[in-house]
């Protein structure tokens, strides 16, 4: 009999294998190669790579997850700061974001120091970063600069670090199964992105916010959210939830994920770019893939912590 | 110094540049090639030539040498070691003094050996945020007249001034790109100011921010 970890791995492998088979068949039957089809194949290949990297990190348990998400934060922060206007006088604040804030935040996760983990960035960094900027003496676009810096660390580091922080929740009767909870969040939220994409491509007619993102449609959103919630309910065995609770929490997480994608699109539109970067073939940058996760992870974390943790 | 050590060092530096900046070459107007070339670029940071070199194919990187200022890179033993032994840069004196060999000679010597060059025609690092590109010095024109057979490729280096600003030592991790444009050739009877203005314009035209605003 397979244990839950093996069952999950086999399931993911089967899903990716069938996705690759479908894209292979589509490519063979297509009269001419289209951009959409090429992008689909590239996206699926990138999914194989992402699942492989995540699977490798999970072999090392909490340590692996902390290191992996610290790296994901690094890549996301790099994309975020590249897009925001910075000035020469921001140099030390920027260095501090990468060299101090990322390591300290993930060390707090690793050492399970919850009390400081939740306030280090929103309280200490929030106050000290603008103070450093003020000390540099450059007041040009001051509020815009400190706001963008604050947003960059909140999204790329603070929110992101809530994924590995799930490993540290004391859940009675759930000992040794925390990796499954992380997998539940990632599969439902990323699955919801994929399902929204599929429903949007098949039935998409009415854009939710056409001026922000023409590709996000009501049909895609509702179809994606409904199917992702069902997926969450079906994966309840990964979690301490009942099937109904799992479906409801998946619905909340995926709704947050959608909002994350919408906010990320608004930032990209404002800055005049289509993607955050080019790290992940077919998908764009790290933030293009992680935007839904950063919005859902803190909410998911606090729901689980409030109702299930001791 | 050992050839192997040099090739490792250049790969290591290219890898380091990639980790910090995720640097990507954008070939728009020219393609990667083994032709002998002079790559000329905007200059805002000591990291510029490492970034540009890391965008070249490996074989081309090994035979492409950057022209750097002797008054900076030759001033301490460590800098000399990096510039001469590890990166094979061509060190030239920016102030021409009597008795010393003319800087053009060193560059022409490298070209005569069949190697490619990276040069920064602004002559110094640009720290003026309001000005995208300083006026060009005449070296580029002299090279173009002396060696019309060598392609002159404009390369716009994006963001490096934010990664490693002048006077700073630690790089800020930000995404960088190097945009390679179409080669610029000296036209018949073209004089020095006209050619330098045209070459400068060709480089400026590659700046994506400029494209976006116009």
């Amino acid at each position: 009999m397979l244990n839950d970890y093996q069952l999950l791995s086999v399931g993911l492998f089967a899903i990716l294998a069938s996705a690759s088979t479908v894209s292979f068949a589509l490519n063979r039957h297509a009269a001419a190669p289209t951009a959409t089809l090429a992008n689909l194949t590239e996206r699926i290949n990138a999914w194989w790579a992402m699942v492989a990297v995540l699977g490798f990190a999970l072999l090392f348990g909490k340590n692996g997850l902390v290191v992996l998400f610290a790296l994901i934060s690094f890549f996301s922060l790099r994309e975020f700061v590249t897009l925001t206007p910075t000035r020469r006088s921001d140099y030390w604040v920027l260095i501090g974001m990468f060299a101090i804030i990322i390591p300290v935040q993930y060390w707090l996760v690793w050492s399970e120091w919850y009390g400081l983990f939740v306030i280090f960035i929103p309280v200490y960094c929030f106050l000290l970063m603008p103070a450093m900027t003020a000390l540099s003496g450059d007041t040009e676009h001051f509020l815009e600069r400190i706001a963008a810096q604050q947003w960059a660390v909140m999204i790329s580091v603070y929110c992101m670090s809530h994924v590995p922080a799930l490993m540290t929740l004391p859940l009675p009767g759930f000992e040794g199964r925390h990796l499954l909870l992380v997998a539940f969040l990632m599969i439902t939220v990323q699955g919801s992105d994929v399902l929204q994409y599929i429903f949007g491509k098949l039935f998409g007619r009415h854009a939710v916010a056409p001026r922000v993102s023409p590709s996000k449609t009501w049909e895609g959103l509702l179809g994606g959210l409904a199917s992702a919630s069902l997926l969450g309910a079906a994966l309840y065995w990964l979690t301490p939830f009942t099937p109904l609770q799992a479906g409801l929490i998946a619905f909340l997480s995926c709704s947050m994920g959608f909002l994350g994608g919408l906010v990320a699109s608004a930032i990209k539109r404002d800055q005049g770019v289509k993607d955050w970067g080019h790290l992940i073939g077919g998908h764009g940058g790290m933030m293009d893939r992680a935007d839904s996760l950063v919005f859902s992870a803190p909410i998911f974390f606090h729901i689980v912590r409030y109702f299930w943790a001791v | 110094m050992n050839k192997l050590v040099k090739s490792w060092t250049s790969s290591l530096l290219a890898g380091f540049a990639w980790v910090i900046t995720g640097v990507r070459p954008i070939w728009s107007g020219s393609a990667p090639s083994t032709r002998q070339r002079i790559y000329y670029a905007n200059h805002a940071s000591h990291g510029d030539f490492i970034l540009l070199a890391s965008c070249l194919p490996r074989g081309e990187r090994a035979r492409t040498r950057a022209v750097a200022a002797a008054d900076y890179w030759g001033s301490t033993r460590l800098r000399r070691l990096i510039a001469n032994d590890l990166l094979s840069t061509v060190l030239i004196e920016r102030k021409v003094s009597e008795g010393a060999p003319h800087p053009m000679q060193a560059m022409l010597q490298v070209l005569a050996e069949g190697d490619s060059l990276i040069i920064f025609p602004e002559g110094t690092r640009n720290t003026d945020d309001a000005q995208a590109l300083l006026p060009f010095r005449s070296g580029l024109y002299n090279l173009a007249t002396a060696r019309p057979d060598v392609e002159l490729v404009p390369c716009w280096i994006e963001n490096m001034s934010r990664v490693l600003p002048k006077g700073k030592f630690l790089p800020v991790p930000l995404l960088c790109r190097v945009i390679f444009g179409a080669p610029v050739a000296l036209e018949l009877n073209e004089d020095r100011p006209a050619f330098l203005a045209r070459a400068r314009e060709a480089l400026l035209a590659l700046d994506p921010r400029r494209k976006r605003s116009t």
Side-chain angles (χ1 to χ4, degrees), chain A residues 42 46 75 78-79 273-288, chain B residues 18 21-26 158 175-177:
Chain A
E42 213 184 350
F75 288 123
R78 189 170 76 171
E79 289 168 3
V273 297
K274 208 183 133 284
D275 291 323
W276 288 95
H278 298 268
L279 193 67
I280 310 173
H283 296 261
M286 183 60 82
M287 273 301 280
D288 289 290
Chain B
W18 185 81
T21 68
V23 63
R24 288 186 315 132
I26 309 283
E158 190 182 44
L175 298 174
C176 291
R177 296 186 298 177

Side-chain angles (χ1 to χ4, degrees), chain A residues 78 81-82 84 86 91 278, chain B residues 19-20 24 162 168 170 175:
Chain A
R78 189 170 76 171
V81 177
T82 302
T84 58
T86 62
Y91 177 77
H278 298 268
Chain B
V19 167
I20 298 294
R24 288 186 315 132
R162 294 167 72 200
K168 298 293 195 284
L170 287 170
L175 298 174

Side-chain angles (χ1 to χ4, degrees), chain B residues 28-49:
Chain B
S28 87
S30 59
S33 143
T34 52
R35 254 193 89 146
Q36 192 176 19
R37 279 172 167 173
I38 297 167
Y39 301 93
Y40 72 95
N42 53 321
H43 195 25
S45 161
H46 282 313
D48 282 338
F49 70 89

Side-chain angles (χ1 to χ4, degrees), chain A residues 79-92:
Chain A
E79 289 168 3
F80 209 115
V81 177
T82 302
L83 267 199
T84 58
T86 62
R87 292 169 59 79
R88 278 181 62 83
S89 43
D90 295 326
Y91 177 77
W92 286 109

Side-chain angles (χ1 to χ4, degrees), chain A residues 11 20 40 47 57 75 77 103 127 129 131-132 138 168 171 262 267 279 285 292-293:
Chain A
S20 282
L40 181 73
W47 274 117
F75 288 123
L77 187 62
L127 300 174
M129 283 163 60
M132 265 179 85
D138 180 359
T168 67
L171 303 169
L262 201 65
I267 295 173
L279 193 67
S292 50
L293 201 59

Side-chain angles (χ1 to χ4, degrees), chain B residues 2-19:
Chain B
N2 194 322
K3 246 192 155 160
L4 202 61
V5 174
K6 270 192 183 178
S7 115
W8 282 348
T9 316
S10 96
S11 297
L12 199 73
L13 275 172
F16 180 68
W18 185 81
V19 167

Side-chain angles (χ1 to χ4, degrees), chain A residues 158-215:
Chain A
Y158 183 72
C159 291
M160 197 78 88
S161 67
H162 283 72
V163 180
L166 288 169
M167 297 296 293
T168 67
L169 286 175
L171 303 169
F174 197 68
E175 291 80 10
R177 293 173 59 85
H178 284 77
L179 283 177
L180 294 173
L181 191 65
V182 174
F184 173 82
L185 172 68
M186 297 195 62
I187 292 172
T188 47
V189 171
Q190 297 290 311
S192 159
D193 282 1
V194 174
L195 290 163
Q196 285 176 39
Y197 170 86
I198 294 173
F199 275 93
K201 285 274 176 215
L202 292 178
F203 309 110
R205 283 270 186 285
H206 307 90
V208 178
R211 287 177 55 190
V212 179
S213 170
S215 63

